[in-house]
Amino acid sequence: MRPAYQEDTQPSKKKRVEDSDTADTPYIKPYVPQILRSPRDFTGTSKITDYEFLNKIGQGTFGEVHKARDKRTDNLKALKRIMMHNEKEGLPLNAIREIKILKQLRHKNIIQLIEIVVEREKRDVYLVFPYMDHDLEGLMNNPEVRLTKTQTKTYFKQLLEGTEYLHHHPVYVRNNNVSSSFAAANLLINNCGILKIGDFGLARTVNEDALEYTNGVVTRWYRPPELFLGAKKYTSSIDMWGVGCIFGELFKSKAILPGHDDIDQLKKIFQLCGSPTKFNMPHWDSLPHSKTIKVEVGPRQVRETFQRFEGEEAIDLLDRLLVLDPARRLAASEALDHDYFYTEPLPIKPSE
Amino acid sequence: MSNGTLQKDIPLIPNMSAIQFLRQTSSMLDLPIRTTATAIVYFHRFNAFIGSREKVVNVDGSINAEDALYNNEELLTTTCLQLACKATEVPRKVRDLVNVGYRYYHPNGTTLDIDESYFRMRASLVTSELLLVRALGFDLEVELPFAYCLNVLRGLGSIRYFITDDTKKQ
């Protein structure tokens, strides 16, 4: 007697063959694991003629950004052109890096990649993002716009939520670090009040054996002290320093640490946060560049500097973010638990 | 094949010559296994894409670019390798890739001169790279089986039958 399982397999095999004859669908579908499958509706590629170019809105890290109208839906989109400047080598490495990262991230506070458009004749590749009306830097520089305390709180909460998502995402964890470029100009805000972290053009995935960051990882003003001292270990606390700088910037309406070169930047950091000692930054003297940099001894004055801007909770949160020791800097999830977000005025829904 | 008819059923045993090429050239280029595996996955996905696509038969007998790439295995495999190098962050020069690919397919030939044919190869590599990323739907991060293999091996290691070391069997 034939075992039962053979009776099962025989007819189904036949059926499958028939299927593949009649339908155009393949017998074996390309296997894409669930966690890597892009969860959003990534419509893939469409024609460049579907978009009507309006005007150039900016120069990204490796390409121009154009405002464009989607002719099919009439929505505004931002198209980021990938410059094929080094055309001999094909697609640039950092473009591939950005696409790879963006395709896997899906969060309401992180810019989403809608699709990728390829123009065949000129061989241009465009990344299509939703059009965002403002960026944070522009908003703060605009004298007509005054951010209320509630708005500040709401925006900062969104920034932290995006950062928290990023730090817990498998892309981030698996590759050790995807350090996005935290800077006020990279935080985009639309007219509905939603803040999105944009521009992963400088993001790097780092492997254990190839821990070589170029020094342009984070825009200088938002770079933590350990990077200037030549630290080679990169953790999510690098991003948290940048988040802290942006938080201070939200109060002051201008960059809090505008150094004009690396040495000056470090000097400004130590002026604000006090000079590094064994207590506030353990092992700092074992970092490679610590011997070459002369440090002026000074006290920590984060609280004093920001006294006049905001309430006690806000200053306390800032004080815990701008910490010299990366191990003691608050993580994004810890910062979200801070009293600041649970005291009056409470953060509102972004749409309000 | 030339007039755009496509191979519909995907063979159970994959195209071994292409896989062999990818493995050999990877060792010549000193690439990590991660990159080789990614390139092989790209290769399979491209073939699956060709198999799943709607057939387009042009009236004038010309074939479209994807089919042209599908028919040119040397170009396709080299492109897969180049893209995998970039996606796994082990940059290799196009020049090296072209040279190694050429050497593999012409083992007894002379070394490749920097002439017009070299530049043509290089240009077609860049063009086909764009075709490949689109066919892959820009899904460049692939999940590799090694992590699962490790788990399976660990599981096997816990079964006494599979332990070859006699001293540990007791």
Side-chain angles (χ1 to χ4, degrees):
Chain A
M1 203 183 111
R2 281 199 325 197
Y5 65 85
Q6 271 197 357
E7 285 172 16
D8 276 358
T9 52
Q10 226 53 16
S12 70
K13 217 179 201 173
K14 215 179 206 172
K15 203 173 154 231
R16 269 189 195 154
V17 174
E18 277 168 14
D19 273 357
S20 67
D21 276 339
T22 49
D24 261 349
T25 48
Y27 171 36
I28 302 169
K29 281 222 163 124
Y31 170 70
V32 183
Q34 189 64 49
I35 50 160
L36 295 181
R37 203 174 292 158
S38 186
R40 84 178 73 97
D41 304 314
F42 184 82
T43 44
T45 54
S46 63
K47 281 181 247 135
I48 193 71
T49 47
D50 287 336
Y51 291 94
E52 180 196 337
F53 282 82
L54 296 174
N55 56 337
K56 188 175 157 183
I57 39 178
Q59 186 82 33
T61 39
F62 58 87
E64 309 156 339
V65 186
H66 293 269
K67 186 174 166 183
R69 181 184 285 112
D70 192 339
K71 286 180 194 162
R72 295 160 296 184
T73 56
D74 238 29
N75 289 339
L76 286 176
K77 300 280 160 65
L79 262 63
K80 185 169 176 181
R81 182 166 144 213
I82 293 174
M83 303 244 258
M84 303 282 273
H85 51 259
N86 195 3
E87 215 181 301
K88 292 177 287 177
E89 297 283 325
L91 273 176
L93 190 61
N94 47 1
I96 286 183
R97 204 179 280 146
E98 181 167 12
I99 292 170
K100 217 170 69 179
I101 294 165
L102 277 170
K103 276 208 74 169
Q104 291 171 69
L105 300 176
R106 180 200 170 84
H107 188 267
K108 61 181 193 300
N109 298 125
I110 289 174
I111 195 92
Q112 101 181 55
L113 180 63
I114 300 168
E115 61 178 3
I116 300 172
V117 182
V118 179
E119 193 184 27
R120 278 194 161 187
E121 273 73 43
K122 282 200 202 152
R123 284 197 194 155
D124 280 339
V125 180
Y126 292 90
L127 309 185
V128 183
F129 299 102
Y131 178 70
M132 304 294 276
D133 308 270
H134 314 283
D135 65 61
L136 196 58
E137 196 180 31
L139 270 188
M140 285 188 293
N141 287 340
N142 190 343
E144 288 167 29
V145 181
R146 289 293 305 152
L147 292 176
T148 62
K149 285 189 179 184
T150 331
Q151 278 172 325
T152 308
K153 201 174 270 197
T154 313
Y155 286 144
F156 189 58
K157 190 175 181 195
Q158 293 183 60
L159 170 62
L160 277 176
E161 280 169 351
T163 315
E164 188 196 16
Y165 169 81
L166 206 62
H167 287 177
H168 286 95
H169 194 275
V171 174
Y172 197 95
V173 177
R174 179 154 21 97
N175 293 315
N176 276 4
N177 198 344
V178 178
S179 193
S180 71
S181 41
F182 278 96
N186 283 339
L187 299 177
L188 310 168
I189 295 167
N190 66 8
N191 278 343
C192 308
I194 308 274
L195 178 144
K196 285 178 196 284
I197 302 170
D199 199 347
F200 288 77
L202 287 172
R204 276 279 165 105
T205 59
V206 180
N207 308 312
E208 289 111 58
D209 39 33
L211 270 178
E212 279 305 317
Y213 263 87
T214 52
N215 250 356
V217 189
V218 188
T219 317
R220 186 191 301 121
W221 297 349
Y222 304 92
R223 235 184 284 167
E226 66 266 21
L227 283 192
F228 292 108
L229 293 172
K232 281 280 184 287
K233 255 184 152 181
Y234 296 92
T235 52
S236 51
S237 53
I238 289 182
D239 291 344
M240 292 318 291
W241 178 272
V243 169
C245 289
I246 290 164
F247 191 39
E249 201 169 332
L250 277 170
F251 301 143
K252 234 180 155 181
S253 296
K254 60 177 190 233
I256 54 167
L257 297 162
H260 37 74
D261 56 46
D262 287 4
I263 303 291
D264 186 51
Q265 182 69 36
L266 203 55
K267 219 159 99 188
K268 282 206 161 60
I269 290 172
F270 290 147
Q271 260 169 24
L272 183 70
C273 301
S275 46
T277 59
K278 252 184 210 144
F279 304 104
N280 62 18
M281 200 176 177
H283 316 301
W284 83 276
D285 42 2
S286 59
L287 289 171
H289 299 331
S290 60
K291 300 282 180 296
T292 54
I293 288 164
K294 221 175 74 193
V295 181
E296 291 160 41
V297 181
R300 183 177 174 82
Q301 38 193 347
V302 174
R303 283 171 182 272
E304 290 73 12
T305 317
F306 292 94
Q307 199 81 64
R308 60 201 169 91
F309 292 108
E310 274 272 334
E312 184 52 40
E313 288 85 12
I315 292 167
D316 185 60
L317 178 55
L318 186 65
D319 194 30
R320 284 158 190 258
L321 284 169
L322 296 178
V323 174
L324 291 179
D325 181 10
R328 267 187 287 168
R329 225 169 274 154
L330 281 193
S333 46
E334 291 167 336
L336 276 171
D337 279 341
H338 194 270
D339 285 347
Y340 174 61
F341 296 108
Y342 298 96
T343 44
E344 295 287 336
L346 290 172
I348 46 172
K349 284 209 183 101
S351 51
E352 286 165 28
Chain B
M1 289 298 275
S2 58
N3 57 359
T5 49
L6 293 166
Q7 198 184 340
K8 221 187 259 170
D9 50 327
I10 288 161
L12 191 63
I13 297 168
N15 186 343
M16 284 316 282
S17 69
I19 312 273
Q20 187 63 19
F21 166 81
L22 288 171
R23 289 182 150 277
Q24 291 281 328
T25 44
S26 293
S27 74
M28 285 193 224
L29 285 162
D30 192 23
L31 295 174
I33 187 74
R34 211 159 31 90
T35 309
T36 319
T38 308
I40 293 173
V41 172
Y42 288 166
F43 180 75
H44 288 317
R45 285 207 187 149
F46 184 80
N47 286 337
F49 164 78
I50 290 288
S52 68
R53 213 172 35 125
E54 279 179 41
K55 276 192 290 185
V56 183
V57 182
N58 290 346
V59 187
D60 55 354
S62 63
I63 55 172
N64 55 359
E66 285 89 355
D67 292 336
L69 181 58
Y70 180 70
N71 293 334
N72 187 346
E73 194 182 285
E74 290 96 333
L75 182 59
L76 176 57
T77 46
T78 317
T79 313
C80 286
L81 202 61
Q82 193 204 0
L83 194 62
C85 282
K86 286 182 183 171
T88 51
E89 312 252 335
V90 269
R92 292 287 182 272
K93 285 202 183 84
V94 180
R95 154 113 226 160
D96 295 341
L97 281 157
V98 171
N99 274 337
V100 167
Y102 185 83
R103 170 57 69 199
Y104 182 83
Y105 283 114
H106 307 88
N108 302 319
T110 52
T111 46
L112 187 58
D113 294 327
I114 304 180
D115 56 4
E116 205 183 313
S117 75
Y118 164 72
F119 282 109
R120 270 212 308 275
M121 279 186 224
R122 185 180 190 136
S124 57
L125 196 62
V126 173
T127 316
S128 54
E129 186 186 32
L130 279 180
L131 278 171
L132 181 66
V133 284
R134 279 207 309 157
L136 296 171
F138 289 89
D139 270 322
L140 299 176
E141 183 99 358
V142 295
E143 199 181 20
L144 299 174
F146 302 120
Y148 298 104
C149 286
L150 189 66
N151 281 340
V152 170
L153 289 174
R154 280 207 189 110
L156 290 180
S158 66
I159 303 171
R160 183 167 290 175
Y161 177 80
F162 290 106
I163 299 175
T164 48
D165 191 354
D166 281 336
T167 54
K168 285 184 186 161
K169 261 191 177 176
Q170 271 80 51

